[in-house]
Amino acid sequence: MAENEAGPQGRDGDFQGLTAALVDAILDAVESRDTAALSGFLEPLHAADIADLLEQIGPAERRDLLGLWSGEIDGEILSEISDAIREEVIEFLPRHVLTDAVRELDTDDVVDILEDLDEPQQAIILGALESADRVAVEQAMAYPEYSAGRLMQREVVVAPLHWTVGEAIDFLRKAEHLPDQFYHVILVDPRMKPQGYVTLGRMLSSPRATALRDIAEDSFRTIKATDPEADVAYIFNQYHLISCPVVDATDRLVGVITIDDAMNVLDEEHEEDILRLAGVGDESAISDGILETVKQRFPWLFVNLLTANMAALVIAQFEATISVIVALAALMPIVASMGGNAGTQSLTVAVRALATKDLTSANAPRVVRREAAVGLINGAAFAVIMGLIGWLGYGSAGLGLVLASALVINLLVAALGGILVPLLLNKLRFDPALASGTFVTTLTDVIGFFAFLGLATLVLL
Amino acid sequence: MAENEAGPQGRDGDFQGLTAALVDAILDAVESRDTAALSGFLEPLHAADIADLLEQIGPAERRDLLGLWSGEIDGEILSEISDAIREEVIEFLPRHVLTDAVRELDTDDVVDILEDLDEPQQAIILGALESADRVAVEQAMAYPEYSAGRLMQREVVVAPLHWTVGEAIDFLRKAEHLPDQFYHVILVDPRMKPQGYVTLGRMLSSPRATALRDIAEDSFRTIKATDPEADVAYIFNQYHLISCPVVDATDRLVGVITIDDAMNVLDEEHEEDILRLAGVGDESAISDGILETVKQRFPWLFVNLLTANMAALVIAQFEATISVIVALAALMPIVASMGGNAGTQSLTVAVRALATKDLTSANAPRVVRREAAVGLINGAAFAVIMGLIGWLGYGSAGLGLVLASALVINLLVAALGGILVPLLLNKLRFDPALASGTFVTTLTDVIGFFAFLGLATLVLL
């Protein structure tokens, strides 16, 4: 494992932090209860990689590994590990290890861990904190879930608006305790209202006599502690911020959010969108157990069962027609399936554009018109193809005509449903990613079967 | 529009940078050709918001707006704008405006713009650059597309490994030109190989005599210029980096990547995944035109047409059975639809976990077993429900039994397909997001219809 014992030069572009070979070697060491080898493998790893390791191995292996190595679990590993496994790990850890681990964390990381634990475990963690930290954590927990207040660090580096670069540098050099990571000095007025910020690079490269306000950044803006974290991620991404001061209702500085936290939120928001679009519980992880996974997936499958039965009822109305022309039974799923696919295309683009605020009331009418045009054009193209197949393949021009017409109708419905359903859900303040898929495919199934079988009944019987 | 003319305090938690009301007011100003009002609205806006504005309005409005205001288009706006609109904007701009705009950009932003332009436009932009910048851009373009080399800034702030804090600060203060944004000083050996880095915060708070190497960060690692940008995004997200030195094949420093670029890549990777899963061209944007959108969506709909016809062929084999029991025609889409949904659930979780490297060869066998168990349990649950509906609703115990069996089979196939197909595609080095959906739903359609109609033929005839 020489790659994991590299010198100060780091691992030189080898970012396979946790290779399959390394996982195997670690599991071998666990099985042979070789504590020395185990520590040798784990110690050079980043906390995030150790967390991944704990998530990737099975529950029995995890217990054995923790049994051999639990003394070394630190706060950072606890903070990196996924919610599903974290409870299990916390339960397993000796109390003094847990206390040490939690105490070394920044308060925002403690808040992040606490949020997903149940009451008794929360109490254990809060009890482990020193009283100043406990107060800070409890104050953060008083902000709404998924708000900027929960996300921010409470440690900030500020300077009065009237200071010079020299004064600020002298102050920093004398400061007893500075945050681990900070990139700006926030300029505040006497009532602690942020008025701007200065990057450390700018400060370092300016003469000592320069007034801080003269080198403040243009990009300055603040976030309210009650703002939803999704908006925080958007703002960082949109305006390329590195850090951003957080203010309370009276505009006083209460904390700061840095881009690494925002990147994390962005990642989680995407995960939510993609999982919700697929009808999977938005907290599902590859490390979840069987029953948990069943519970996450059952509800949307059940909804789908209801809508599928609705489509079946539509078909049942036309059993007389089908019994005369059985070929209809084979062809009707084509119309429904094409509609379902076209609808999913439109709605995914719409849901994504709503999330990135690229779809707004300013361009919605134009996008709806575009979708309708796209639906008609693609509908016409596939109508020609399937019309010919129906005509030549089944020897019936009438059947070809019915197929073609049903396809145009259903692809238009799919396109309009794909854009209007998410727009409507968004207007009603539901997450469009959550329910659009079911609505749209129900629509395309029902309309697809109805249009095809209805036209067939009219034209072919 | 007082909210956009706020003082040094910024916009105080109002992050509706580009409100619908503002867009309307701007369009009014464009229509009445009121240049003063237009500038009044646009000037306080961030470049990213102006870019969004240009994307959200229609082509005619865009031309009119640019006609009135093109002199003010700066490099940052050009760099924020989406690819689809950028070509159009560049074509419209007077040559001297374009030259000025491009010259004020960092070389990494110029590279980002160049990548998506066609040859003649590339030549215009390259011609606008000063020769030193042109060389830098051409060198960056020599790296593979979507590599770290394309992403990095070439301006770096370095210090010899043996320097003290005081020496570094004096050097920075005397430096004639420093990058706009930098967060670390990179420590290099005499051959320009990076050996570590020091955060500016740490430097500012340490005594002048401190050796830089004593306050270097633990988190230090390097990226190879040829590494794919997806790996860059992963590393920043996994290890919470703020910036990372980039080295060439001989480990010499050639540039630096900062987290805001990595966040951008992460965002684009997500966009690609979500769009590919839905069978939409991965570069589609809400601002694309009708024909472009048709072209993006047609290919996957065409593939779906082929697979739907395959399913229709399966059904056609059982026309004799359906003509005897027409109710089968109404019920068979339920089996296919449940399979399609369950398959989409499994495969979305798998595709996402592959992207985040949470699904690896270490845990793949366990995840496959879990999926199979989940498929069987959910299959059994829905088999009971639909079995009862078939029995009681259609008065045939045999039909209920056939429905139930087909559902168990298809939900198991869906679960296995949903995990095995993306694993296989990933192994073959295809993007699992790109093609998994089609494979899996074809599988569940074909197996669903075959199992249901086949069992019905055996049991009910």
Side-chain angles (χ1 to χ4, degrees):
Chain A
M1 289 300 118
E3 69 195 82
N4 292 298
E5 295 166 359
Q9 209 170 326
R11 284 183 291 150
D12 276 348
D14 166 37
F15 294 112
Q16 307 291 320
L18 191 67
T19 59
L22 182 56
V23 174
D24 286 345
I26 289 171
L27 289 181
D28 283 348
V30 170
E31 208 181 332
S32 57
R33 309 193 61 78
D34 183 346
T35 323
L38 187 61
S39 293
F41 290 135
L42 292 178
E43 226 144 87
L45 284 182
H46 189 281
D49 289 329
I50 296 179
D52 282 352
L53 170 74
L54 289 171
E55 289 163 20
Q56 283 174 26
I57 61 183
E61 298 160 330
R62 191 154 52 229
R63 260 191 309 278
D64 290 346
L65 189 152
L66 288 175
L68 290 169
W69 200 68
S70 68
E72 314 295 326
I73 295 284
D74 62 15
E76 217 184 326
I77 297 174
L78 224 49
S79 148
E80 294 285 349
I81 216 164
S82 80
D83 307 339
I85 308 293
R86 192 186 285 140
E87 271 183 60
E88 184 194 319
V89 172
I90 288 180
E91 224 144 88
F92 191 88
L93 289 185
R95 191 66 61 93
H96 71 275
V97 174
L98 184 62
T99 306
D100 287 351
V102 169
R103 282 195 177 180
E104 65 189 44
L105 284 174
D106 287 339
T107 53
D108 57 328
D109 292 327
V110 177
V111 170
D112 188 40
I113 292 180
L114 275 189
E115 283 176 334
D116 302 300
L117 295 178
D118 46 23
E119 289 275 347
Q121 285 201 328
Q122 286 195 349
I124 293 174
I125 300 238
L126 280 173
L129 293 174
E130 284 158 39
S131 66
D133 283 347
R134 185 162 53 240
V135 171
V137 167
E138 282 169 344
Q139 280 175 348
M141 294 290 281
Y143 287 108
E145 219 178 343
Y146 309 116
S147 70
R150 292 269 183 115
L151 208 60
M152 70 189 183
Q153 298 169 23
R154 303 175 68 86
E155 287 179 320
V156 292
V157 180
V158 297
L161 194 54
H162 57 79
W163 272 14
T164 63
V165 167
E167 284 171 301
I169 290 181
D170 294 342
F171 163 78
L172 289 176
R173 196 153 289 148
K174 269 180 261 157
E176 294 235 326
H177 185 65
L178 289 173
D180 279 353
Q181 302 274 341
F182 70 105
Y183 313 103
H184 291 105
V185 172
I186 301 169
L187 306 183
V188 291
D189 72 8
R191 286 173 307 166
M192 276 298 273
K193 296 190 180 180
Q195 305 291 317
Y197 56 32
V198 175
T199 69
L200 299 184
R202 205 70 192 275
M203 244 172 72
L204 271 169
S205 56
S206 301
R208 280 184 65 91
T210 313
L212 289 179
R213 67 189 318 160
D214 291 342
I215 52 171
E217 293 290 297
D218 284 343
S219 68
F220 175 72
R221 53 187 71 225
T222 58
I223 292 172
K224 290 244 190 274
T226 48
D227 282 344
E229 62 175 26
D231 285 2
V232 173
Y234 171 77
I235 290 164
F236 270 83
N237 200 19
Q238 171 85 346
Y239 301 118
H240 310 290
L241 304 183
I242 295 297
S243 72
C244 190
V246 181
V247 295
D248 63 14
T250 63
D251 287 332
R252 271 165 230 253
L253 183 68
V254 288
V256 67
I257 294 177
T258 49
I259 187 176
D260 51 325
D261 296 319
M263 191 168 177
N264 211 0
V265 172
L266 190 76
D267 201 40
E268 281 169 13
E269 293 284 321
H270 281 298
E271 171 127 356
E272 246 179 57
D273 276 355
I274 210 167
L275 294 178
R276 285 182 169 180
L277 274 173
V280 193
D282 53 21
E283 299 236 318
S284 53
I286 205 81
S287 54
D288 289 339
I290 293 174
L291 285 182
E292 205 166 338
T293 308
V294 167
K295 265 198 290 182
Q296 286 157 3
R297 298 193 190 167
F298 185 90
W300 283 106
L301 287 177
F302 188 77
V303 172
N304 185 61
L305 189 78
L306 298 182
T307 67
N309 273 286
M310 209 188 301
L313 277 181
V314 172
I315 298 171
Q317 306 314 307
F318 297 97
E319 283 189 358
T321 309
I322 295 173
S323 67
V324 177
I325 313 167
V326 187
L328 296 178
L331 292 172
M332 65 185 186
I334 297 178
V335 178
S337 155
M338 289 300 286
N341 266 266
T344 303
Q345 290 180 331
S346 304
L347 94 85
T348 304
V349 173
V351 164
R352 169 76 195 165
L354 282 169
T356 57
K357 302 191 203 273
D358 287 331
L359 176 56
T360 65
S361 52
N363 59 346
R366 205 179 47 260
V367 174
V368 172
R369 283 196 302 273
R370 182 195 72 174
E371 288 295 337
V374 170
L376 279 175
I377 295 173
N378 269 334
F382 289 109
V384 170
I385 302 173
M386 279 311 297
L388 287 174
I389 293 180
W391 181 20
L392 305 174
Y394 292 78
S396 157
L399 186 58
L401 185 70
V402 167
L403 250 179
S405 315
L407 270 172
V408 173
I409 294 172
N410 211 25
L411 262 66
L412 179 61
V413 167
L416 288 176
I419 178 77
L420 292 176
V421 169
L423 276 176
L424 183 71
L425 287 173
N426 190 57
K427 192 115 202 161
L428 300 175
R429 300 187 168 276
F430 290 104
D431 179 355
L434 196 55
S436 294
T438 313
F439 282 122
V440 174
T441 51
T442 305
L443 200 66
T444 53
D445 274 0
V446 168
I447 301 280
F449 291 131
F450 185 79
F452 179 64
L453 295 174
L455 285 170
T457 306
L458 288 178
V459 174
L460 303 177
L461 282 195
Chain B
M1 290 299 119
E3 68 195 83
N4 292 297
E5 295 168 358
Q9 208 169 324
R11 282 185 291 149
D12 276 348
D14 167 38
F15 293 112
Q16 306 291 321
L18 193 66
T19 58
L22 183 55
V23 174
D24 287 345
I26 290 171
L27 289 181
D28 284 348
V30 170
E31 209 181 330
S32 57
R33 309 193 62 79
D34 183 347
T35 323
L38 187 61
S39 294
F41 291 135
L42 292 178
E43 226 143 87
L45 285 181
H46 189 282
D49 290 329
I50 296 178
D52 282 352
L53 170 74
L54 289 171
E55 289 163 20
Q56 283 174 25
I57 62 183
E61 298 160 329
R62 191 154 54 229
R63 261 191 309 278
D64 290 344
L65 189 153
L66 288 174
L68 291 169
W69 200 69
S70 68
E72 314 295 326
I73 294 283
D74 62 14
E76 217 184 325
I77 297 174
L78 224 48
S79 149
E80 294 286 349
I81 218 163
S82 81
D83 306 340
I85 308 293
R86 192 187 284 140
E87 271 183 62
E88 183 194 319
V89 172
I90 288 180
E91 224 144 89
F92 191 88
L93 290 185
R95 190 65 62 93
H96 71 276
V97 174
L98 184 62
T99 307
D100 288 351
V102 169
R103 282 194 176 181
E104 64 188 47
L105 285 174
D106 287 338
T107 53
D108 57 328
D109 292 327
V110 177
V111 170
D112 187 41
I113 291 180
L114 275 188
E115 283 177 334
D116 303 302
L117 295 178
D118 45 24
E119 288 276 347
Q121 285 202 328
Q122 286 194 348
I124 293 175
I125 300 236
L126 280 172
L129 294 174
E130 283 159 39
S131 66
D133 283 347
R134 186 163 53 240
V135 172
V137 167
E138 283 168 344
Q139 280 174 350
M141 294 289 281
Y143 288 108
E145 218 178 343
Y146 308 116
S147 69
R150 292 268 184 117
L151 208 59
M152 71 189 183
Q153 298 169 24
R154 303 175 68 86
E155 288 180 318
V156 291
V157 180
V158 298
L161 194 54
H162 57 79
W163 272 14
T164 62
V165 167
E167 284 172 302
I169 290 182
D170 292 343
F171 163 78
L172 289 177
R173 196 152 291 148
K174 268 181 261 154
E176 294 234 328
H177 186 64
L178 290 173
D180 279 352
Q181 302 275 341
F182 70 104
Y183 314 103
H184 291 105
V185 172
I186 301 168
L187 307 182
V188 291
D189 73 7
R191 286 173 308 164
M192 275 298 273
K193 296 189 180 181
Q195 305 291 316
Y197 55 32
V198 175
T199 68
L200 298 184
R202 203 73 192 274
M203 245 172 72
L204 271 170
S205 56
S206 301
R208 281 184 64 93
T210 312
L212 288 179
R213 66 188 320 157
D214 291 341
I215 53 171
E217 294 289 299
D218 285 345
S219 67
F220 176 71
R221 54 187 68 227
T222 58
I223 292 173
K224 291 244 190 272
T226 49
D227 282 344
E229 61 174 25
D231 285 2
V232 173
Y234 171 77
I235 290 164
F236 270 83
N237 201 19
Q238 171 86 347
Y239 301 119
H240 310 290
L241 304 183
I242 295 297
S243 73
C244 190
V246 181
V247 296
D248 64 14
T250 63
D251 286 333
R252 270 165 232 253
L253 184 69
V254 289
V256 67
I257 294 178
T258 48
I259 186 176
D260 51 324
D261 297 319
M263 192 168 176
N264 212 0
V265 173
L266 190 76
D267 200 41
E268 281 168 13
E269 294 284 321
H270 281 297
E271 171 126 357
E272 246 178 57
D273 276 355
I274 209 166
L275 293 178
R276 285 181 169 178
L277 274 173
V280 193
D282 54 20
E283 298 236 320
S284 54
I286 205 83
S287 52
D288 289 340
I290 293 174
L291 285 181
E292 205 166 337
T293 309
V294 168
K295 266 198 290 181
Q296 286 157 4
R297 299 194 189 166
F298 185 90
W300 283 107
L301 287 177
F302 188 77
V303 172
N304 185 62
L305 190 78
L306 298 181
T307 68
N309 273 286
M310 208 189 302
L313 277 181
V314 172
I315 298 171
Q317 307 313 307
F318 297 97
E319 283 188 358
T321 308
I322 295 173
S323 69
V324 177
I325 312 167
V326 187
L328 296 178
L331 292 173
M332 66 185 187
I334 296 176
V335 178
S337 156
M338 290 299 286
N341 266 265
T344 302
Q345 289 181 332
S346 303
L347 94 85
T348 303
V349 173
V351 164
R352 168 76 196 168
L354 282 168
T356 56
K357 301 191 204 274
D358 288 331
L359 175 57
T360 65
S361 52
N363 59 347
R366 206 180 45 261
V367 174
V368 172
R369 282 197 302 274
R370 182 195 71 173
E371 288 295 338
V374 170
L376 279 176
I377 294 173
N378 268 334
F382 289 108
V384 170
I385 300 173
M386 279 311 297
L388 287 174
I389 293 179
W391 181 20
L392 305 175
Y394 292 77
S396 157
L399 185 59
L401 186 70
V402 167
L403 250 179
S405 315
L407 269 172
V408 173
I409 293 172
N410 210 25
L411 261 65
L412 179 61
V413 167
L416 287 175
I419 179 78
L420 292 175
V421 169
L423 277 175
L424 183 71
L425 286 172
N426 190 57
K427 192 117 204 162
L428 299 175
R429 298 187 170 276
F430 291 104
D431 179 355
L434 196 55
S436 294
T438 312
F439 282 122
V440 173
T441 51
T442 305
L443 200 67
T444 52
D445 274 359
V446 167
I447 300 280
F449 290 131
F450 185 79
F452 179 64
L453 296 173
L455 285 170
T457 307
L458 288 178
V459 174
L460 302 178
L461 283 196

